Amino acid sequence: MHKQTLNSRLNAYLIYLGVAIASGGVALYTPLIVSETGIKFSGFWAASILCGLNLGRVIGSWLGSRFPATANHPLAVSGNILLEGIALYCMAFLEQAWALAVFAVLAGLGSGLSFPGLKFYLLKLRDLDQTALFSRLSFAIRIGLVAGYLLAGWIPHHTMKLVFLIVLLTFISYGLLMLAAMRAIVRHESNLLKQQLEQEQQQKLACDLVAGNEKLSHERCQQSELPLLFYLSNAVFWCFAVQPTIGFSLHIPKFTPDLSVSTPFWIAAVVIIAFQIPVSRQAVRNKDHFRFLQFGYLSLFLSFLCMLAFPAYAATVIIASVLLSFAQIFYGPSLDVLTARYADRVSADTGQLMSRQMLYQSMGNMTGSLAGGLLFDLAQRWNTPAINWGLLAAGSLVMVILSQHKIPSLYRDATRHATR
């Protein structure tokens, strides 16, 4: 009877809409603040903003994995979303580069604490397919990014105060939509749990509680941990995948000046929007998802190989950006599904595992943001323009090999040991 009280699809789309709106705000401010900081100060300080954002996400994800019961509370998730928006809004009033980096860390902290909570509540919509949940989440993010890029083209940004006011409003909207969805999910679970506990006195059913029994889930999760290499492979993927954010921006003006710097990013977003959901539907079994992880690394390798072989052609940059898009299409949702399925299989705390996953992803993004600029500078100093792409191609090839057998076997072994 209570099963009909929650409209899972409606609440999922409330979350998707909030994520899309906030992603639009991110796409609106990021290129503007990075560009302005680079002009006023230096490329190092411009990169420090991206590094600070990811450092904050690392800290937030670590805190979320340590205190999942607190981080996953609906008010905590919405509060952390608001923290990110306020920290970003304050950046419009800052004049010092170090202050921008500090507030970027605060914004990243809010992001690192709130995004795993978002996934935590999405996964509580158990009547919806997990693969579809994460592929649509990725789709919503890309839709928001494209909208943000379009908005940035005609909004007057002679003053950053207007830009960041719009950004703040997007995060307020995101927080309110998330809060509405989370409260509906919590009410439904509370009613459903009461009915289930009256019918069956099995403590296993208490794992569906949002707050009351998360301590039990936390203890189980501590005993059921995924292998370190599984997490590190996630960090490495995003370290490589974020390289073109810096690499293309530096490469295009020097080697393919006829091509607009924004072109590969537009193309990447459009490709993901067009192919994310159709491709993700092809993966059903765990075996399919592990194959998609390998395809993700293979796409990275081919992307970097193109840049290594023909670095001076605009068409190469376009092809490389398309391959990079498919790397994210294959890898991101499949890793989310595998993590969620592991949590379900071993009755672990899903929110905690998602926080730990984001911790390593943010570490990869932070390292990749800095490494992208350093590798480009190193290539120029050694007068070997393609060395950065060559190193990335070699690293991606190693991960293709590891993801064929080693990483899947570690995952399966961890699952068997945890369910004994």
Side-chain angles (χ1 to χ4, degrees), residues 309-371:
F310 308 102
Y313 295 93
T316 303
V317 177
I318 300 300
I319 294 171
S321 67
V322 171
L323 289 169
L324 184 74
S325 300
F326 275 102
Q328 297 179 49
I329 288 170
F330 284 122
Y331 191 90
S334 284
L335 186 74
D336 285 336
V337 170
L338 287 168
T339 304
R341 287 184 179 177
Y342 177 83
D344 287 343
R345 182 78 181 270
V346 304
S347 299
D349 188 316
T350 307
Q352 187 179 43
L353 290 185
M354 288 297 181
S355 292
R356 189 166 287 111
Q357 176 185 315
M358 188 169 181
L359 168 67
Y360 284 90
Q361 178 176 329
S362 298
M363 288 172 60
N365 283 326
M366 181 177 66
T367 305
S369 298
L370 290 177

Side-chain angles (χ1 to χ4, degrees), residues 143-165:
I143 286 285
L145 290 176
V146 171
Y149 288 134
L150 287 171
L151 197 61
W154 63 271
I155 282 187
H157 47 268
H158 55 277
T159 169
M160 294 299 290
K161 293 179 182 178
L162 175 61
V163 171
F164 279 104
L165 176 60

Side-chain angles (χ1 to χ4, degrees), residues 2-76:
H2 289 290
K3 291 182 180 179
Q4 303 301 319
T5 62
L6 179 70
N7 189 331
S8 295
R9 192 169 297 277
L10 172 62
N11 285 284
Y13 277 96
L14 284 177
I15 295 174
Y16 297 147
L17 179 59
V19 170
I21 292 172
S23 297
V26 171
L28 175 62
Y29 87 83
T30 302
L32 297 178
I33 193 66
V34 170
S35 174
E36 185 171 290
T37 304
I39 293 171
K40 284 186 178 180
F41 300 98
S42 67
F44 167 79
W45 284 112
S48 72
I49 294 177
L50 296 180
C51 181
L53 281 168
N54 286 292
L55 175 60
R57 288 169 184 158
V58 168
I59 298 171
S61 300
W62 180 81
L63 290 173
S65 67
R66 296 283 295 178
F67 309 102
T70 302
N72 292 332
H73 190 281
L75 292 178

Side-chain angles (χ1 to χ4, degrees), residues 30 44 54 89 96 104 108 112 118 124 131 139 154 159 180 195 244-245 287 301 323 332 352 355 367 377 393 399:
T30 302
F44 167 79
N54 286 292
Y89 181 62
Q96 296 82 13
L118 175 150
K124 287 187 171 294
T131 303
F139 179 83
W154 63 271
T159 169
Q195 185 184 41
T245 304
K287 183 177 180 180
F301 169 69
L323 289 169
Q352 187 179 43
S355 292
T367 305
D377 291 342
M399 294 308 299

Side-chain angles (χ1 to χ4, degrees), residues 150-378:
L150 287 171
L151 197 61
W154 63 271
I155 282 187
H157 47 268
H158 55 277
T159 169
M160 294 299 290
K161 293 179 182 178
L162 175 61
V163 171
F164 279 104
L165 176 60
I166 296 173
V167 172
L168 175 60
L169 292 176
T170 65
F171 277 90
I172 291 174
S173 301
Y174 173 29
L176 292 175
L177 288 167
M178 273 297 301
L179 185 61
M182 290 185 294
R183 293 187 67 177
I185 294 169
V186 169
R187 284 196 302 269
H188 172 72
E189 285 204 329
S190 179
N191 292 333
L192 184 61
L193 185 63
K194 288 178 183 177
Q195 185 184 41
Q196 289 173 333
L197 290 178
E198 288 174 359
Q199 296 173 351
E200 302 178 36
Q201 294 302 317
Q202 299 177 5
Q203 290 300 316
K204 185 178 179 181
L205 294 174
C207 292
D208 291 331
L209 276 171
V210 174
N213 289 311
E214 287 205 1
K215 184 177 179 181
L216 175 62
S217 297
H218 178 68
E219 292 172 353
R220 287 177 176 174
C221 183
Q222 295 231 341
Q223 300 172 357
S224 309
E225 191 54 75
L226 281 165
L228 178 62
L229 182 58
F230 186 84
Y231 289 120
L232 287 177
S233 68
N234 184 34
V236 172
F237 176 86
W238 291 107
C239 177
F240 290 171
V242 80
Q243 296 291 325
T245 304
I246 303 296
F248 284 163
S249 299
L250 298 173
H251 181 92
I252 290 172
K254 188 173 183 63
F255 297 102
T256 58
D258 293 337
L259 183 67
S260 170
V261 174
S262 64
T263 300
F265 303 107
W266 277 97
I267 291 175
V270 170
V271 168
I272 292 175
I273 288 171
F275 291 98
Q276 180 68 80
I277 293 178
V279 169
S280 295
R281 284 175 178 166
Q282 304 305 311
V284 178
R285 304 164 299 171
N286 280 1
K287 183 177 180 180
D288 299 327
H289 289 293
F290 275 115
R291 187 180 294 115
F292 272 21
L293 297 189
Q294 188 176 26
F295 287 169
Y297 275 115
L298 182 60
S299 297
L300 284 183
F301 169 69
L302 294 175
S303 176
F304 298 141
L305 187 63
C306 287
M307 294 299 296
L308 174 64
F310 308 102
Y313 295 93
T316 303
V317 177
I318 300 300
I319 294 171
S321 67
V322 171
L323 289 169
L324 184 74
S325 300
F326 275 102
Q328 297 179 49
I329 288 170
F330 284 122
Y331 191 90
S334 284
L335 186 74
D336 285 336
V337 170
L338 287 168
T339 304
R341 287 184 179 177
Y342 177 83
D344 287 343
R345 182 78 181 270
V346 304
S347 299
D349 188 316
T350 307
Q352 187 179 43
L353 290 185
M354 288 297 181
S355 292
R356 189 166 287 111
Q357 176 185 315
M358 188 169 181
L359 168 67
Y360 284 90
Q361 178 176 329
S362 298
M363 288 172 60
N365 283 326
M366 181 177 66
T367 305
S369 298
L370 290 177
L374 292 175
L375 284 175
F376 185 84
D377 291 342
L378 182 65

